[in-house]
Structures are given as structure tokens and as C-alpha cells.
Amino acid sequence: MNMLTFDKTDIKQKDKSVIAEAVFAVETISCHQQTEKQMRAKQLLDRLFPLEHGSHQDVTAYVVDYRHIMAYFKDGGHSGLEHPKHFVAYAGEKEDPESLLLRDGTGSHVEISFGEHKGTGSIELVEIKDIQLETCTKFPMTETDNSAMRHWISLVKGDQNGKPQACSESKEYTAKNGEDYTLEPCYTC
């Protein structure tokens, strides 16, 4: 039997460069080009958290269904995430979440915030208000101190020059099992 083998570190390194490229593509779009920024943000979601069928580009609504995310399309079709375990929590109502919290394979969180519905009477694509990526910055005071700060890097919202903004704040969600899910600005790694 002839079996192929893969070097897992090589796959992880390639995956990180794809993610870095996708993040850079969103960051480089001017804040005045919102249509382009929306397209690139959804492409980033397609790379990081792909749907089982379809693309985030074509989603008209996200709904929390039991412990899963369902993405709905204009044609009435729907799809879940290719890897349902990436969904961990949400804010708002299950039928119309204000934001979704996803966690990648490394344990880093990504928050997707949605824009207001325009109320035009026709089915419209979901507007992404922001995508925030979690980063961990360690500030060791002593050799035994492992405290770290959780920062959120905003990709869609930026400063006047379109550069990403960073903040450190508490965030509260409802976990997919219904319990509270809180992310504090400081934590121990």
C-alpha cells in the first residue's frame, strides 16, 4: 500500500501565510472603499472559516440554530460551517445575532460584527460591520509572571488612514450551550 505523508508543520506554516495575506488584503483597502472592504472581509472569512457549501460573499443572514451557525442565501438555501467546532458564542438574539465569535484551530478568537439591516424590503447581503482578531501580548514583569493582555485588532473599521485599530476590552457573549462566555482583557497563558 502506497500512502502519502504530510509534514504538519509545513501545512501550518502555509496556512499562517495564507491568513497573513488575507488579513493584509483587508487592511490595505481604504476606509472610503467600503464595498471593496466588505468583499475582502468576506474572502477572509471564506479562508479562515469556510462554509460547508457556498461563500460568505453570498450570505443574506446568519442564524444560531441549536449549537450551530446557519448561513442563509438569496435562493433560500443554507449552509453550516465546514468545521462547526469553530463556532463558540454569539451576542444578540439567535435569530438575528449582533456578532458571532469563532475560534480557529490555534485557540485564537475572531469576532464578526454585523451592520444594521437597511429595511429596503428586498433580500440583501449581510453587511459586516467589523472583524476583530484576538492577539495575545505578554508583558512579563518577572521570570515567573505569565500574564498577558488580550488585544482586538479591528480589520474593517480603521483610523482615518484606513490602518487597523487595536483595543483591549472585556467582551461578553452567550456560548453555544447557552452559558455566559466572557473574554477579559487580561488573562494568564
Side-chain angles (χ1 to χ4, degrees), residues 8 38 41 46-48 54-55 57 62 65 101 109 114 125 136 138 142 153-154 159 177 180:
K8 290 180 183 177
Q38 285 291 313
D46 283 338
R47 285 189 173 176
L48 296 176
S55 167
Q57 299 281 349
Y62 291 95
D65 184 23
L101 186 67
H109 292 91
F114 302 109
L125 299 176
C136 174
K138 291 187 177 187
T142 66
I153 308 296
S154 175
D159 62 15
N177 66 2
D180 291 341

Side-chain angles (χ1 to χ4, degrees), residues 10-154:
D10 185 42
I11 292 171
K12 287 180 184 178
Q13 288 172 348
K14 286 180 183 175
D15 194 35
K16 285 182 183 178
S17 67
V18 168
I19 293 169
E21 288 172 19
V23 169
F24 183 71
V26 174
E27 289 178 347
T28 58
I29 304 298
S30 166
C31 60
H32 304 294
Q33 297 173 298
Q34 281 303 311
T35 304
E36 179 74 13
K37 209 158 190 63
Q38 285 291 313
M39 183 185 77
R40 295 291 175 98
K42 291 175 181 180
Q43 286 175 345
L44 175 66
L45 292 177
D46 283 338
R47 285 189 173 176
L48 296 176
F49 305 104
L51 297 173
E52 192 171 27
H53 306 287
S55 167
H56 289 280
Q57 299 281 349
D58 304 319
V59 174
T60 59
Y62 291 95
V63 173
V64 177
D65 184 23
Y66 187 58
R67 293 182 179 198
H68 302 281
I69 297 173
M70 294 304 297
Y72 287 88
F73 306 105
K74 280 187 177 184
D75 67 1
H78 61 278
S79 176
L81 291 174
E82 188 174 293
H83 304 286
K85 66 181 179 183
H86 287 167
F87 169 61
V88 293
Y90 66 95
E93 302 297 320
K94 284 184 167 189
E95 303 81 29
D96 187 21
E98 296 169 14
S99 64
L100 297 174
L101 186 67
L102 307 173
R103 188 173 53 210
D104 68 10
T106 67
S108 294
H109 292 91
V110 175
E111 180 189 55
I112 307 163
S113 301
F114 302 109
E116 299 294 320
H117 297 292
K118 295 182 177 94
T120 61
S122 64
I123 298 175
E124 297 179 4
L125 299 176
V126 166
E127 178 186 338
I128 294 180
K129 183 176 171 184
D130 199 8
I131 295 177
Q132 291 192 348
L133 303 174
E134 175 189 41
T135 64
C136 174
T137 309
K138 291 187 177 187
F139 297 106
M141 301 299 178
T142 66
E143 288 182 25
T144 59
D145 185 16
N146 277 340
S147 63
M149 285 293 287
R150 174 181 281 124
H151 293 283
W152 295 94
I153 308 296
S154 175

